[in-house]
Amino acid sequence: MDAERRERQEGRDGRKASRLPVGFTAKLRERGHSTMDVEVLDLSTSGFRIATLFRVSQGHLVWLSIPGLQPLEAVVRWSAKNEHGCEFVQPLHPAVVTHIRQLYPPIDETRHQFDRF
């Protein structure tokens, strides 16, 4: 099954789209705060999961800056320790998700750089 078709299917855990593992550093900004470095762990047409040393407030708007794309607006839906799940305000096209996945293959999630804290 190709990535675009997987993205159109509803995730088993109630997500709007299945998330694909990725691994890259991006910038995240919450309204009224400075930009922070985050590690993007997975991505779908509807959202993403990040790890960061900084606190991100559930329910708040954030902007994710991925190299080569304009900042993407999202809402923080959940937080657990140093990881946060966000939902895009405007879903990404499946081809964009596929392209990002090709540029940034998955990292070993058990060892992401923000686990130390």
Short mmCIF file of all heavy atoms in Angstrom, two decimals, residues 19-81:
data_model
loop_
_atom_site.label_atom_id
_atom_site.label_comp_id
_atom_site.label_asym_id
_atom_site.label_seq_id
_atom_site.Cartn_x
_atom_site.Cartn_y
_atom_site.Cartn_z
N ARG A 19 -0.14 8.20 10.94
CA ARG A 19 1.10 8.96 10.98
C ARG A 19 2.25 8.11 10.49
O ARG A 19 2.33 6.92 10.79
CB ARG A 19 1.36 9.45 12.39
CG ARG A 19 0.29 10.45 12.80
CD ARG A 19 0.82 11.45 13.75
NE ARG A 19 -0.23 12.43 14.05
CZ ARG A 19 -0.29 13.10 15.17
NH1 ARG A 19 0.62 12.92 16.09
NH2 ARG A 19 -1.24 13.97 15.35
N LEU A 20 3.16 8.74 9.76
CA LEU A 20 4.36 8.07 9.25
C LEU A 20 5.56 8.53 10.06
O LEU A 20 5.72 9.72 10.31
CB LEU A 20 4.57 8.43 7.78
CG LEU A 20 3.45 8.05 6.82
CD1 LEU A 20 3.74 8.61 5.43
CD2 LEU A 20 3.28 6.55 6.78
N PRO A 21 6.43 7.60 10.47
CA PRO A 21 7.62 8.02 11.22
C PRO A 21 8.55 8.83 10.34
O PRO A 21 8.75 8.53 9.17
CB PRO A 21 8.26 6.70 11.65
CG PRO A 21 7.66 5.65 10.80
CD PRO A 21 6.34 6.17 10.29
N VAL A 22 9.10 9.90 10.92
CA VAL A 22 10.09 10.76 10.26
C VAL A 22 11.15 11.08 11.30
O VAL A 22 11.01 10.71 12.46
CB VAL A 22 9.47 12.06 9.69
CG1 VAL A 22 8.52 11.77 8.55
CG2 VAL A 22 8.78 12.86 10.77
N GLY A 23 12.16 11.82 10.92
CA GLY A 23 13.18 12.22 11.87
C GLY A 23 13.93 13.45 11.39
O GLY A 23 14.79 13.34 10.54
N PHE A 24 13.55 14.61 11.95
CA PHE A 24 14.26 15.83 11.60
C PHE A 24 14.00 16.91 12.64
O PHE A 24 13.03 16.84 13.39
CB PHE A 24 13.88 16.33 10.20
CG PHE A 24 12.43 16.69 10.02
CD1 PHE A 24 12.01 18.00 10.18
CD2 PHE A 24 11.50 15.73 9.67
CE1 PHE A 24 10.68 18.34 10.00
CE2 PHE A 24 10.17 16.06 9.48
CZ PHE A 24 9.76 17.37 9.64
N THR A 25 14.90 17.88 12.67
CA THR A 25 14.74 19.03 13.57
C THR A 25 14.04 20.14 12.81
O THR A 25 14.33 20.40 11.64
CB THR A 25 16.11 19.51 14.07
OG1 THR A 25 16.74 18.43 14.76
CG2 THR A 25 15.98 20.69 15.01
N ALA A 26 13.07 20.76 13.47
CA ALA A 26 12.32 21.87 12.89
C ALA A 26 12.20 22.97 13.95
O ALA A 26 12.70 22.82 15.07
CB ALA A 26 10.94 21.40 12.45
N LYS A 27 11.55 24.05 13.59
CA LYS A 27 11.30 25.15 14.52
C LYS A 27 9.81 25.18 14.84
O LYS A 27 8.97 24.96 13.96
CB LYS A 27 11.70 26.50 13.90
CG LYS A 27 13.15 26.59 13.49
CD LYS A 27 14.05 26.71 14.69
CE LYS A 27 15.49 26.94 14.25
NZ LYS A 27 16.40 26.88 15.37
N LEU A 28 9.48 25.47 16.09
CA LEU A 28 8.10 25.59 16.52
C LEU A 28 7.95 26.89 17.27
O LEU A 28 8.82 27.25 18.08
CB LEU A 28 7.71 24.41 17.42
CG LEU A 28 6.22 24.31 17.74
CD1 LEU A 28 5.48 23.61 16.59
CD2 LEU A 28 5.99 23.56 19.03
N ARG A 29 6.86 27.59 17.02
CA ARG A 29 6.59 28.84 17.74
C ARG A 29 5.16 28.82 18.23
O ARG A 29 4.23 28.50 17.50
CB ARG A 29 6.82 30.05 16.85
CG ARG A 29 6.72 31.38 17.61
CD ARG A 29 7.02 32.57 16.74
NE ARG A 29 6.04 32.78 15.70
CZ ARG A 29 4.84 33.34 15.88
NH1 ARG A 29 4.46 33.73 17.08
NH2 ARG A 29 4.02 33.50 14.87
N GLU A 30 5.01 29.14 19.50
CA GLU A 30 3.69 29.31 20.09
C GLU A 30 3.43 30.82 20.17
O GLU A 30 4.36 31.60 20.40
CB GLU A 30 3.68 28.69 21.50
CG GLU A 30 2.31 28.64 22.13
CD GLU A 30 2.31 27.88 23.46
OE1 GLU A 30 3.31 27.23 23.79
OE2 GLU A 30 1.29 27.96 24.15
N ARG A 31 2.19 31.22 19.95
CA ARG A 31 1.85 32.64 19.97
C ARG A 31 2.39 33.31 21.24
O ARG A 31 2.19 32.81 22.34
CB ARG A 31 0.33 32.81 19.92
CG ARG A 31 -0.12 34.25 19.79
CD ARG A 31 -1.63 34.35 19.81
NE ARG A 31 -2.21 33.45 18.82
CZ ARG A 31 -2.85 33.85 17.73
NH1 ARG A 31 -3.00 35.13 17.49
NH2 ARG A 31 -3.35 32.98 16.90
N GLY A 32 3.11 34.42 21.05
CA GLY A 32 3.65 35.16 22.18
C GLY A 32 4.95 34.61 22.74
O GLY A 32 5.44 35.10 23.75
N HIS A 33 5.50 33.58 22.12
CA HIS A 33 6.74 32.96 22.60
C HIS A 33 7.79 32.96 21.50
O HIS A 33 7.47 33.11 20.33
CB HIS A 33 6.48 31.53 23.06
CG HIS A 33 5.62 31.43 24.27
ND1 HIS A 33 4.26 31.65 24.25
CD2 HIS A 33 5.93 31.14 25.55
CE1 HIS A 33 3.77 31.50 25.45
NE2 HIS A 33 4.76 31.19 26.27
N SER A 34 9.01 32.73 21.90
CA SER A 34 10.12 32.63 20.94
C SER A 34 10.06 31.28 20.22
O SER A 34 9.46 30.33 20.70
CB SER A 34 11.46 32.75 21.67
OG SER A 34 11.56 34.00 22.28
N THR A 35 10.76 31.23 19.10
CA THR A 35 10.88 29.99 18.34
C THR A 35 11.76 29.01 19.12
O THR A 35 12.73 29.41 19.76
CB THR A 35 11.51 30.28 16.97
OG1 THR A 35 10.67 31.19 16.27
CG2 THR A 35 11.66 29.02 16.15
N MET A 36 11.39 27.73 19.07
CA MET A 36 12.15 26.69 19.76
C MET A 36 12.47 25.55 18.79
O MET A 36 11.74 25.34 17.83
CB MET A 36 11.37 26.15 20.96
CG MET A 36 10.04 25.49 20.57
SD MET A 36 9.04 24.98 21.97
CE MET A 36 8.06 26.45 22.22
N ASP A 37 13.56 24.86 19.06
CA ASP A 37 13.90 23.67 18.29
C ASP A 37 13.07 22.50 18.77
O ASP A 37 12.90 22.31 19.98
CB ASP A 37 15.39 23.31 18.44
CG ASP A 37 16.29 24.27 17.70
OD1 ASP A 37 15.86 24.84 16.69
OD2 ASP A 37 17.44 24.44 18.14
N VAL A 38 12.55 21.72 17.81
CA VAL A 38 11.81 20.52 18.12
C VAL A 38 12.29 19.40 17.21
O VAL A 38 12.84 19.66 16.14
CB VAL A 38 10.28 20.71 17.96
CG1 VAL A 38 9.75 21.78 18.89
CG2 VAL A 38 9.91 21.03 16.52
N GLU A 39 12.09 18.19 17.65
CA GLU A 39 12.39 17.02 16.85
C GLU A 39 11.04 16.45 16.38
O GLU A 39 10.20 16.10 17.21
CB GLU A 39 13.15 16.01 17.69
CG GLU A 39 13.81 14.94 16.91
CD GLU A 39 14.76 14.14 17.78
OE1 GLU A 39 15.40 14.73 18.66
OE2 GLU A 39 14.84 12.93 17.55
N VAL A 40 10.82 16.40 15.08
CA VAL A 40 9.57 15.86 14.54
C VAL A 40 9.74 14.35 14.44
O VAL A 40 10.66 13.86 13.78
CB VAL A 40 9.22 16.49 13.17
CG1 VAL A 40 7.90 15.95 12.66
CG2 VAL A 40 9.15 18.02 13.29
N LEU A 41 8.85 13.62 15.12
CA LEU A 41 8.95 12.16 15.21
C LEU A 41 8.03 11.43 14.24
O LEU A 41 8.35 10.35 13.78
CB LEU A 41 8.65 11.71 16.64
CG LEU A 41 9.53 12.34 17.72
CD1 LEU A 41 9.03 11.93 19.10
CD2 LEU A 41 10.97 11.95 17.52
N ASP A 42 6.85 12.02 14.00
CA ASP A 42 5.97 11.45 12.99
C ASP A 42 5.08 12.53 12.41
O ASP A 42 4.98 13.63 12.96
CB ASP A 42 5.17 10.24 13.50
CG ASP A 42 4.25 10.54 14.67
OD1 ASP A 42 3.64 11.62 14.71
OD2 ASP A 42 4.10 9.66 15.52
N LEU A 43 4.47 12.20 11.27
CA LEU A 43 3.76 13.20 10.47
C LEU A 43 2.65 12.52 9.68
O LEU A 43 2.79 11.38 9.26
CB LEU A 43 4.77 13.83 9.51
CG LEU A 43 4.31 14.91 8.56
CD1 LEU A 43 4.06 16.21 9.32
CD2 LEU A 43 5.38 15.14 7.49
N SER A 44 1.54 13.23 9.53
CA SER A 44 0.45 12.76 8.66
C SER A 44 -0.15 13.97 7.98
O SER A 44 0.27 15.10 8.21
CB SER A 44 -0.63 12.04 9.49
OG SER A 44 -1.40 12.97 10.23
N THR A 45 -1.16 13.74 7.18
CA THR A 45 -1.85 14.86 6.54
C THR A 45 -2.54 15.73 7.59
O THR A 45 -2.73 16.92 7.39
CB THR A 45 -2.88 14.38 5.52
OG1 THR A 45 -3.80 13.50 6.16
CG2 THR A 45 -2.22 13.68 4.35
N SER A 46 -2.91 15.13 8.72
CA SER A 46 -3.69 15.87 9.72
C SER A 46 -2.89 16.37 10.91
O SER A 46 -3.39 17.19 11.68
CB SER A 46 -4.85 15.01 10.22
OG SER A 46 -4.37 13.84 10.83
N GLY A 47 -1.64 15.91 11.11
CA GLY A 47 -0.90 16.38 12.27
C GLY A 47 0.48 15.79 12.39
O GLY A 47 1.00 15.17 11.45
N PHE A 48 1.08 15.96 13.58
CA PHE A 48 2.44 15.53 13.81
C PHE A 48 2.69 15.35 15.30
O PHE A 48 1.94 15.84 16.13
CB PHE A 48 3.44 16.55 13.23
CG PHE A 48 3.27 17.95 13.78
CD1 PHE A 48 4.02 18.39 14.85
CD2 PHE A 48 2.36 18.82 13.19
CE1 PHE A 48 3.87 19.69 15.35
CE2 PHE A 48 2.20 20.11 13.68
CZ PHE A 48 2.96 20.55 14.76
N ARG A 49 3.78 14.64 15.61
CA ARG A 49 4.23 14.46 16.99
C ARG A 49 5.66 14.97 17.07
O ARG A 49 6.48 14.68 16.20
CB ARG A 49 4.17 12.99 17.39
CG ARG A 49 4.64 12.72 18.82
CD ARG A 49 4.32 11.29 19.25
NE ARG A 49 4.88 10.33 18.33
CZ ARG A 49 5.95 9.58 18.58
NH1 ARG A 49 6.60 9.68 19.72
NH2 ARG A 49 6.37 8.71 17.67
N ILE A 50 5.93 15.73 18.12
CA ILE A 50 7.25 16.32 18.32
C ILE A 50 7.78 15.98 19.71
O ILE A 50 7.03 15.62 20.61
CB ILE A 50 7.23 17.85 18.17
CG1 ILE A 50 6.24 18.49 19.16
CG2 ILE A 50 6.93 18.27 16.74
CD1 ILE A 50 6.34 19.99 19.30
N ALA A 51 9.09 16.13 19.85
CA ALA A 51 9.76 16.08 21.15
C ALA A 51 10.53 17.38 21.30
O ALA A 51 11.12 17.88 20.34
CB ALA A 51 10.70 14.89 21.23
N THR A 52 10.49 17.94 22.51
CA THR A 52 11.19 19.20 22.78
C THR A 52 11.47 19.32 24.27
O THR A 52 10.80 18.69 25.10
CB THR A 52 10.38 20.41 22.29
OG1 THR A 52 11.14 21.61 22.53
CG2 THR A 52 9.04 20.53 22.96
N LEU A 53 12.44 20.13 24.61
CA LEU A 53 12.75 20.42 26.00
C LEU A 53 11.79 21.44 26.60
O LEU A 53 11.71 21.60 27.80
CB LEU A 53 14.18 20.96 26.12
CG LEU A 53 15.30 20.00 25.70
CD1 LEU A 53 16.63 20.73 25.76
CD2 LEU A 53 15.30 18.77 26.57
N PHE A 54 11.06 22.14 25.74
CA PHE A 54 10.20 23.23 26.17
C PHE A 54 8.77 22.74 26.40
O PHE A 54 8.33 21.78 25.79
CB PHE A 54 10.20 24.34 25.12
CG PHE A 54 11.57 24.90 24.86
CD1 PHE A 54 12.33 24.42 23.80
CD2 PHE A 54 12.10 25.88 25.68
CE1 PHE A 54 13.60 24.92 23.56
CE2 PHE A 54 13.36 26.38 25.45
CZ PHE A 54 14.11 25.90 24.39
N ARG A 55 8.07 23.44 27.26
CA ARG A 55 6.65 23.14 27.48
C ARG A 55 5.83 23.77 26.36
O ARG A 55 6.08 24.90 25.95
CB ARG A 55 6.20 23.73 28.81
CG ARG A 55 6.82 23.06 30.00
CD ARG A 55 6.05 23.42 31.23
NE ARG A 55 5.01 22.43 31.36
CZ ARG A 55 4.95 21.54 32.35
NH1 ARG A 55 5.83 21.56 33.28
NH2 ARG A 55 4.00 20.65 32.41
N VAL A 56 4.86 23.03 25.90
CA VAL A 56 3.94 23.51 24.88
C VAL A 56 2.54 23.34 25.46
O VAL A 56 2.21 22.28 25.99
CB VAL A 56 4.10 22.72 23.57
CG1 VAL A 56 3.18 23.26 22.50
CG2 VAL A 56 5.55 22.76 23.09
N SER A 57 1.74 24.38 25.40
CA SER A 57 0.43 24.38 26.07
C SER A 57 -0.65 23.72 25.23
O SER A 57 -0.90 24.11 24.09
CB SER A 57 0.02 25.81 26.39
OG SER A 57 0.98 26.43 27.21
N GLN A 58 -1.30 22.73 25.82
CA GLN A 58 -2.39 22.03 25.15
C GLN A 58 -3.51 23.01 24.81
O GLN A 58 -3.87 23.87 25.59
CB GLN A 58 -2.92 20.93 26.05
CG GLN A 58 -3.89 20.00 25.37
CD GLN A 58 -4.23 18.80 26.24
OE1 GLN A 58 -3.51 18.47 27.17
NE2 GLN A 58 -5.32 18.16 25.93
N GLY A 59 -4.02 22.89 23.57
CA GLY A 59 -5.09 23.77 23.10
C GLY A 59 -4.60 25.04 22.44
O GLY A 59 -5.39 25.76 21.83
N HIS A 60 -3.31 25.34 22.55
CA HIS A 60 -2.78 26.57 21.97
C HIS A 60 -2.39 26.39 20.51
O HIS A 60 -2.06 25.29 20.07
CB HIS A 60 -1.56 27.05 22.76
CG HIS A 60 -1.92 27.65 24.08
ND1 HIS A 60 -1.11 28.54 24.71
CD2 HIS A 60 -2.99 27.51 24.87
CE1 HIS A 60 -1.67 28.93 25.84
NE2 HIS A 60 -2.81 28.29 25.98
N LEU A 61 -2.40 27.50 19.78
CA LEU A 61 -1.93 27.52 18.39
C LEU A 61 -0.42 27.56 18.36
O LEU A 61 0.21 28.26 19.17
CB LEU A 61 -2.46 28.74 17.65
CG LEU A 61 -3.91 28.71 17.19
CD1 LEU A 61 -4.30 30.06 16.61
CD2 LEU A 61 -4.13 27.61 16.17
N VAL A 62 0.16 26.80 17.43
CA VAL A 62 1.61 26.81 17.19
C VAL A 62 1.84 26.84 15.70
O VAL A 62 0.94 26.55 14.90
CB VAL A 62 2.30 25.57 17.82
CG1 VAL A 62 2.21 25.58 19.33
CG2 VAL A 62 1.73 24.27 17.24
N TRP A 63 3.06 27.20 15.32
CA TRP A 63 3.46 27.19 13.91
C TRP A 63 4.71 26.34 13.80
O TRP A 63 5.72 26.61 14.47
CB TRP A 63 3.72 28.62 13.42
CG TRP A 63 2.45 29.37 13.26
CD1 TRP A 63 1.73 29.53 12.11
CD2 TRP A 63 1.74 30.08 14.29
NE1 TRP A 63 0.60 30.28 12.37
CE2 TRP A 63 0.58 30.62 13.69
CE3 TRP A 63 1.95 30.29 15.64
CZ2 TRP A 63 -0.35 31.36 14.41
CZ3 TRP A 63 1.02 31.01 16.36
CH2 TRP A 63 -0.11 31.54 15.74
N LEU A 64 4.66 25.32 12.95
CA LEU A 64 5.78 24.43 12.70
C LEU A 64 6.47 24.88 11.42
O LEU A 64 5.84 24.98 10.37
CB LEU A 64 5.29 22.98 12.55
CG LEU A 64 6.36 21.93 12.26
CD1 LEU A 64 7.25 21.73 13.50
CD2 LEU A 64 5.72 20.62 11.83
N SER A 65 7.78 25.14 11.50
CA SER A 65 8.56 25.54 10.33
C SER A 65 9.45 24.39 9.91
O SER A 65 10.39 24.02 10.61
CB SER A 65 9.42 26.77 10.66
OG SER A 65 8.59 27.87 10.94
N ILE A 66 9.11 23.81 8.75
CA ILE A 66 9.88 22.73 8.14
C ILE A 66 10.68 23.35 7.01
O ILE A 66 10.12 24.09 6.19
CB ILE A 66 8.94 21.63 7.60
CG1 ILE A 66 8.12 21.03 8.75
CG2 ILE A 66 9.73 20.56 6.87
CD1 ILE A 66 7.05 20.06 8.30
N PRO A 67 11.99 23.06 6.93
CA PRO A 67 12.79 23.65 5.85
C PRO A 67 12.14 23.44 4.48
O PRO A 67 11.71 22.34 4.15
CB PRO A 67 14.12 22.90 5.96
CG PRO A 67 14.20 22.49 7.40
CD PRO A 67 12.77 22.18 7.79
N GLY A 68 12.03 24.52 3.71
CA GLY A 68 11.47 24.46 2.37
C GLY A 68 9.96 24.68 2.29
O GLY A 68 9.41 24.75 1.20
N LEU A 69 9.29 24.79 3.44
CA LEU A 69 7.84 25.03 3.46
C LEU A 69 7.53 26.29 4.27
O LEU A 69 8.30 26.67 5.14
CB LEU A 69 7.10 23.85 4.11
CG LEU A 69 7.18 22.49 3.44
CD1 LEU A 69 6.45 21.46 4.29
CD2 LEU A 69 6.60 22.54 2.04
N GLN A 70 6.39 26.89 3.99
CA GLN A 70 5.95 28.01 4.82
C GLN A 70 5.54 27.46 6.19
O GLN A 70 5.23 26.26 6.30
CB GLN A 70 4.79 28.73 4.17
CG GLN A 70 3.51 27.92 4.07
CD GLN A 70 2.42 28.67 3.35
OE1 GLN A 70 2.66 29.58 2.59
NE2 GLN A 70 1.19 28.27 3.59
N PRO A 71 5.54 28.27 7.25
CA PRO A 71 5.13 27.77 8.56
C PRO A 71 3.72 27.19 8.51
O PRO A 71 2.82 27.73 7.87
CB PRO A 71 5.19 29.02 9.45
CG PRO A 71 6.20 29.89 8.77
CD PRO A 71 6.00 29.66 7.29
N LEU A 72 3.55 26.06 9.20
CA LEU A 72 2.28 25.34 9.21
C LEU A 72 1.59 25.55 10.55
O LEU A 72 2.16 25.24 11.60
CB LEU A 72 2.53 23.86 8.96
CG LEU A 72 3.27 23.53 7.66
CD1 LEU A 72 3.76 22.09 7.68
CD2 LEU A 72 2.37 23.79 6.47
N GLU A 73 0.37 26.06 10.52
CA GLU A 73 -0.38 26.33 11.74
C GLU A 73 -1.03 25.05 12.26
O GLU A 73 -1.59 24.26 11.49
CB GLU A 73 -1.45 27.38 11.45
CG GLU A 73 -2.18 27.86 12.68
CD GLU A 73 -3.17 28.98 12.35
OE1 GLU A 73 -3.52 29.15 11.16
OE2 GLU A 73 -3.58 29.66 13.30
N ALA A 74 -0.95 24.85 13.58
CA ALA A 74 -1.51 23.65 14.20
C ALA A 74 -1.99 23.98 15.61
O ALA A 74 -1.66 25.02 16.17
CB ALA A 74 -0.45 22.55 14.24
N VAL A 75 -2.76 23.06 16.17
CA VAL A 75 -3.25 23.16 17.55
C VAL A 75 -2.65 22.01 18.34
O VAL A 75 -2.68 20.85 17.88
CB VAL A 75 -4.79 23.09 17.60
CG1 VAL A 75 -5.29 23.13 19.04
CG2 VAL A 75 -5.41 24.21 16.78
N VAL A 76 -2.12 22.31 19.52
CA VAL A 76 -1.57 21.26 20.39
C VAL A 76 -2.75 20.49 20.98
O VAL A 76 -3.61 21.07 21.64
CB VAL A 76 -0.70 21.86 21.51
CG1 VAL A 76 -0.15 20.77 22.41
CG2 VAL A 76 0.42 22.71 20.93
N ARG A 77 -2.82 19.18 20.72
CA ARG A 77 -3.93 18.35 21.18
C ARG A 77 -3.62 17.55 22.43
O ARG A 77 -4.52 17.25 23.21
CB ARG A 77 -4.38 17.40 20.07
CG ARG A 77 -4.97 18.11 18.88
CD ARG A 77 -6.23 18.85 19.29
NE ARG A 77 -6.86 19.49 18.15
CZ ARG A 77 -7.71 20.48 18.24
NH1 ARG A 77 -8.04 20.96 19.42
NH2 ARG A 77 -8.23 21.02 17.17
N TRP A 78 -2.33 17.19 22.64
CA TRP A 78 -1.96 16.44 23.83
C TRP A 78 -0.49 16.65 24.14
O TRP A 78 0.30 17.01 23.27
CB TRP A 78 -2.28 14.94 23.70
CG TRP A 78 -1.56 14.25 22.57
CD1 TRP A 78 -2.03 14.03 21.31
CD2 TRP A 78 -0.24 13.69 22.60
NE1 TRP A 78 -1.08 13.38 20.55
CE2 TRP A 78 0.02 13.15 21.33
CE3 TRP A 78 0.75 13.59 23.58
CZ2 TRP A 78 1.22 12.52 21.00
CZ3 TRP A 78 1.95 12.97 23.25
CH2 TRP A 78 2.16 12.43 21.98
N SER A 79 -0.14 16.41 25.39
CA SER A 79 1.25 16.50 25.84
C SER A 79 1.50 15.38 26.84
O SER A 79 0.65 15.09 27.69
CB SER A 79 1.53 17.84 26.52
OG SER A 79 1.42 18.90 25.60
N ALA A 80 2.66 14.76 26.74
CA ALA A 80 3.08 13.72 27.68
C ALA A 80 4.59 13.81 27.82
O ALA A 80 5.32 13.53 26.87
CB ALA A 80 2.67 12.34 27.17
N LYS A 81 5.05 14.24 28.99
CA LYS A 81 6.48 14.46 29.26
C LYS A 81 7.02 15.44 28.23
O LYS A 81 6.56 16.56 28.14
CB LYS A 81 7.25 13.15 29.28
CG LYS A 81 6.84 12.23 30.40
CD LYS A 81 7.72 11.03 30.45
CE LYS A 81 7.28 10.12 31.57
NZ LYS A 81 8.10 8.92 31.66
#
